[in-house]
Amino acid sequence: MTRVLISGAGIAGPALGLWLARYGFEVTIVEQAPAVRPGGQAVDFKGETHLTVLRRMGLLDDVERLATGGGDDGRIVDAEGRTIGITPAAFSGGDIEIRRGDLAHLLVERTATTCRYVFDDSITALHETPDGVDVAFRRSPSQRFDLVVGADGIHSTVRRLAFGPESDYVTHLGHYYALLEVGGRLVEGDEMYNEPGRMASTGGPKAPAFFVFASPPLGVERGDVEAQKQALRDAFVGASWKVPQLLDALPDAQGFHLDSISRVRVDRYSRGRVVLVGDAAYGNALGGFGTGLALVGAYVLAGELMTAGGDASRAFAAYDAKFRGYAKVADKVNAGALLAPPTRTRIWLRNKLFSVAPLFLGVMALMDRFATDIELEDYPSAAPSSTV
């Protein structure tokens, strides 16, 4: 039986684990967090390709049950809170919208008896041999696996260890975003406020409070939460609307997360017995396609491994050839420039795009076409007895 180690228990990792376990692979999923991460921003699925994969996974009904229900159009406001435009509900949502944490919990729940999960641990070293990959962990004893999968996000440890430094594959797109949980009178509806190079919103699908700001790389350690909070404060010094009150809530805010808006590009998805899926391979923060790409990518990778009888070289080449064209959508978006335009003129033009139906509908039609731009193989639902 082929032993597969997946790094990351977010979306791509458990989705891949679901398929591989069905196909007869022995799957271990390691996750550095102590448990499945709750909450998080809303994510969405667009078009028949995404819905078909969810249906074949046996998850569509549950995803629909857990869906946020979309919502009404949001308001774009000025410094006094007066409405100056709208953010159409279709802009941030798709056919189905669900909180990321709810989707992750569902995936882990569905794979808890077929995959072995190891939380509060992470990979520290990989050494490939003719017989497999020797893996060292931060807490667990070293083990050998036949294949290793990096499903551990834009800042992938597996990619760094097997492919090279993050700077070779991750491009900063000139902006950062931050999410935090706040409540009370600060969140009275879906509202968005802009100043040049800065955006703050409340009550929208991403989080109760959501910020985007233009900035070169900050040089703040990813694990240093207090330094990240201070970077957010510094970025919004002098901002109007309710931004000062939102920042005053930072010390007690739950669910705080800050990261760069960055894009991942790799020349190929695999190196030897190691392969990448999801944001580790083709991520683009806030690009709107990450969750769909993760689920479809997991489906294709698992299907090719099953079809190839566990022959990694053959399967990884087929995955790369069949998926790379679809994943190119991640190269086409810079969410920071749209959410936090650099000038008042650009802000006005963005608002006009949202308010002029033919323009907005044309953009959404293009996004829908990207979401369905792949011909899905109809892989068997279970592995033949000789597959692995």
Side-chain angles (χ1 to χ4, degrees):
M1 181 178 290
T2 303
R3 302 181 68 222
V4 181
L5 173 66
I6 300 172
S7 176
I11 304 301
L16 180 64
L18 182 149
W19 287 112
L20 290 179
R22 283 188 192 177
Y23 294 151
F25 292 75
E26 181 182 316
V27 181
T28 298
I29 301 177
V30 61
E31 166 58 48
Q32 66 177 348
V36 180
R37 299 172 193 263
Q41 69 265 36
V43 297
D44 56 82
F45 299 103
K46 304 178 177 76
E48 189 56 32
T49 296
H50 294 175
L51 300 184
T52 295
V53 171
L54 286 170
R55 193 176 296 114
R56 291 178 182 177
M57 295 174 79
L59 296 179
L60 182 57
D61 288 346
D62 285 316
V63 169
E64 289 178 333
R65 174 177 55 84
L66 294 169
T68 65
D72 299 323
D73 294 343
R75 298 192 307 130
I76 303 172
V77 300
D78 64 12
E80 283 71 45
R82 296 173 298 208
T83 301
I84 59 173
I86 62 166
T87 52
F91 168 67
S92 56
D95 295 319
I96 305 175
E97 182 183 88
I98 181 173
R99 291 292 291 267
R100 186 185 185 281
D102 290 342
L103 179 60
H105 272 280
L106 176 61
L107 286 164
V108 171
E109 177 185 280
R110 285 299 185 90
T111 53
T113 60
T114 57
C115 300
R116 174 175 174 260
Y117 279 90
V118 181
F119 286 96
D120 196 21
D121 206 351
S122 57
I123 297 171
T124 59
L126 299 171
H127 176 65
E128 184 166 340
T129 73
D131 299 320
V133 184
D134 293 327
V135 183
F137 298 92
R138 177 170 53 87
R139 295 167 62 93
S140 303
S142 297
Q143 296 182 62
R144 175 169 292 182
F145 295 88
D146 298 298
L147 306 174
V148 175
V149 182
D152 45 355
I154 284 179
H155 305 292
S156 169
T157 296
V158 169
R159 189 189 58 231
R160 175 176 56 80
L161 293 172
F163 288 60
E166 180 170 307
S167 58
D168 288 351
Y169 303 102
V170 179
T171 301
H172 177 61
L173 298 180
H175 293 78
Y176 281 79
Y177 71 98
L179 311 166
L180 61 142
E181 303 283 339
V182 294
R185 296 170 61 184
L186 289 175
V187 182
E188 296 176 340
D190 184 349
E191 300 176 321
M192 181 172 78
Y193 171 71
N194 277 103
E195 295 174 359
R198 306 195 288 196
M199 185 279 289
S201 70
T202 59
K206 294 299 181 189
F210 176 45
F211 300 85
V212 175
F213 59 94
S215 173
L218 291 171
V220 176
E221 292 291 332
R222 293 185 60 236
D224 191 342
V225 175
E226 291 307 313
Q228 291 179 340
K229 288 181 177 180
Q230 188 58 50
L232 180 61
R233 293 187 188 95
D234 293 343
F236 281 84
V237 167
S240 299
W241 189 50
K242 61 177 75 172
V243 173
Q245 293 95 322
L246 290 170
L247 296 180
D248 285 344
L250 266 177
D252 300 319
Q254 301 298 309
F256 177 80
H257 177 78
L258 180 143
D259 203 350
S260 63
I261 296 180
S262 298
R263 177 176 55 223
V264 177
R265 285 179 178 156
V266 295
D267 56 349
R268 52 195 174 100
Y269 299 147
S270 62
R271 292 286 190 277
R273 292 174 176 266
V274 179
V275 66
L276 306 175
V277 67
D279 282 352
Y282 26 80
N284 187 328
L286 304 182
F289 289 93
T291 304
L293 285 174
L295 258 64
V296 180
Y299 173 80
V300 174
L301 174 57
E304 293 304 324
L305 278 166
M306 184 273 297
T307 300
D311 181 338
S313 179
R314 177 179 153 202
F316 293 168
Y319 162 56
D320 206 304
K322 293 180 179 181
F323 198 72
R324 185 167 292 277
Y326 184 61
K328 280 185 178 178
V329 65
D331 285 343
K332 303 178 184 297
V333 180
N334 182 346
L338 180 66
L339 294 171
T343 66
R344 295 195 181 279
T345 299
R346 293 283 185 88
I347 294 170
W348 182 87
L349 288 171
R350 192 276 316 278
N351 294 350
K352 182 63 67 175
L353 169 66
F354 286 162
S355 64
V356 178
L359 290 175
F360 176 72
L361 292 175
V363 171
M364 295 310 297
L366 182 62
M367 301 284 274
D368 290 344
R369 182 173 67 80
F370 286 142
T372 57
D373 192 21
I374 187 173
E375 184 175 345
L376 289 178
E377 296 279 347
D378 190 8
Y379 301 110
S381 59
S385 59
S386 61
T387 295
V388 292

